[in-house]
């Protein structure tokens, strides 16, 4: 059974940093592209970032480019999202996602981690 | 950026009715269109990928169609548990983008 467990969310001041982790199990982690999608309170879904399985090619939404860094540790089956220069508008639930290797759609979602950026 | 527009924003239906949800892309996404269902307090769930391929465990009353820029999610014989927000998502081009969602009230 695929399981994705996010951690690291919390309250941070504007301009601060935070790192989200996603512990994956139940599948061959290193062979799948992974992604982060966020959802601001009461709003829709926004893709944030993606990373390929083994060559670590990364992709970012313009709204986070230069501030967020996605990475993975295949030996630990863990996905990361390092967020810096955080803004109030980054407040959201961040979902860790396992993609399908035939395309960048989102077959499995974690339960989400809430990040609140506020002074 | 490919803009995804969903309509209607809200759909009120009765149990047993059918529902048609629309999704329009600002440029062609070929068949790389997915649909998700999100219930309150839950993560989204994949319903359909590649326009019309149901995900594992999704009931046959959910079906998708379309191509290029116009797509439809059809839900036949709606049940109370189908109350949710439905999102379309294009994965043909970067950045990946979602529609704003259609809320289905039963």
């Amino acid at each position: 059974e695929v399981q994705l467990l996010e951690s690291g969310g919390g309250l941070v001041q504007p301009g601060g940093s935070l790192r989200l982790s996603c512990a994956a199990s139940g599948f061959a982690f290193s062979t799948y592209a992974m992604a982060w999608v966020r959802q601001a309170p009461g709003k829709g879904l926004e893709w944030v970032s993606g990373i390929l399985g083994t060559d670590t090619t990364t992709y970012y939404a313009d709204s986070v480019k230069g501030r967020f860094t996605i990475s993975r540790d295949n030996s630990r089956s863990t996905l990361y999202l390092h967020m810096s220069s955080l803004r109030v508008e980054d407040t959201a639930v961040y979902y860790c996602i396992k993609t399908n290797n035939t395309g960048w759609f989102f077959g499995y979602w974690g339960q989400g981690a809430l990040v609140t950026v506020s002074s | 950026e490919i803009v995804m527009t969903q309509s209607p924003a809200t759909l009120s239906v009765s149990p047993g009715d059918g529902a048609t949800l629309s999704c329009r892309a600002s440029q062609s996404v070929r068949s790389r269109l997915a649909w998700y269902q999100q219930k309150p307090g839950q993560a989204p769930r994949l319903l359909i990928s590649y326009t019309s391929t149901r995900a594992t465990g999704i009931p046959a009353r959910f079906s998708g169609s379309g191509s290029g820029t116009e797509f439809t999610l059809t839900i036949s014989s709606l049940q109370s548990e189908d109350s949710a927000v439905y999102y379309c998502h294009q994965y043909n081009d970067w950045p990946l983008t979602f529609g704003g969602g259609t809320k289905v009230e039963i």
Side-chain angles (χ1 to χ4, degrees), chain B residues 88-106:
Chain B
C88 63
H89 160 223
Q90 70 80 19
Y91 52 98
N92 185 64
D93 199 8
W94 303 99
L96 309 179
T97 49
F98 291 89
T102 292
K103 184 176 183 179
V104 174
E105 299 175 331
I106 302 173

Side-chain angles (χ1 to χ4, degrees), chain B residues 64-106:
Chain B
S65 62
S67 67
T69 62
E70 299 283 344
F71 300 89
T72 299
L73 175 68
T74 302
I75 313 172
S76 63
S77 190
L78 279 150
Q79 302 181 10
S80 58
E81 62 261 33
D82 298 331
S83 290
V85 179
Y86 293 83
Y87 294 96
C88 63
H89 160 223
Q90 70 80 19
Y91 52 98
N92 185 64
D93 199 8
W94 303 99
L96 309 179
T97 49
F98 291 89
T102 292
K103 184 176 183 179
V104 174
E105 299 175 331
I106 302 173

Side-chain angles (χ1 to χ4, degrees), chain B residues 11-12 15 30 43 58 62 83:
Chain B
L11 192 58
S12 295
R30 298 189 285 175
I58 301 303
F62 292 91
S83 290

Side-chain angles (χ1 to χ4, degrees), chain A residues 74-88:
Chain A
N74 287 340
S75 68
R76 297 177 182 270
S77 296
T78 301
L79 178 72
Y80 302 101
L81 185 68
H82 186 264
M83 304 179 290
S84 62
S85 302
L86 281 161
R87 305 167 181 167
V88 170

Side-chain angles (χ1 to χ4, degrees), chain A residues 37 39 43-45 47 59 95 102-107 109-110, chain B residues 34 36 38 42-44 46 49-50 87 89 91 94-96 98:
Chain A
V37 167
Q39 186 170 36
K43 302 298 184 182
L45 302 171
W47 168 75
Y59 305 89
Y95 293 102
T102 66
W104 280 90
F105 57 92
F106 305 138
W109 299 61
Chain B
Y36 304 87
Q38 186 178 33
Q42 296 184 16
L46 176 68
S49 63
Y50 286 103
Y87 294 96
H89 160 223
Y91 52 98
W94 303 99
L96 309 179
F98 291 89

Side-chain angles (χ1 to χ4, degrees), chain A:
Chain A
E1 178 191 4
V2 171
Q3 292 195 344
L4 301 168
L5 186 60
E6 300 100 335
S7 60
L11 175 64
V12 61
Q13 292 189 337
S17 298
L18 207 60
R19 188 183 77 165
L20 300 181
S21 300
C22 172
S25 61
F27 64 101
F29 180 75
S30 65
T31 66
Y32 285 89
M34 300 290 292
W36 292 94
V37 167
R38 68 184 180 183
Q39 186 170 36
K43 302 298 184 182
L45 302 171
E46 180 187 17
W47 168 75
V48 172
S49 184
I51 185 169
L52 294 185
T54 54
D55 68 5
T56 67
T57 300
T58 57
Y59 305 89
Y60 296 96
D62 284 347
S63 58
V64 306
K65 197 174 294 183
R67 300 187 300 121
F68 290 13
T69 301
I70 190 172
S71 62
R72 63 193 299 158
D73 184 339
N74 287 340
S75 68
R76 297 177 182 270
S77 296
T78 301
L79 178 72
Y80 302 101
L81 185 68
H82 186 264
M83 304 179 290
S84 62
S85 302
L86 281 161
R87 305 167 181 167
V88 170
E89 55 265 34
D90 294 319
T91 295
V93 173
Y94 286 74
Y95 293 102
C96 168
I97 291 164
K98 170 187 175 291
T99 73
N100 183 302
N101 277 342
T102 66
W104 280 90
F105 57 92
F106 305 138
Y108 291 91
W109 299 61
Q111 85 289 349
L114 177 61
V115 173
T116 302
V117 184
S118 174
S119 55

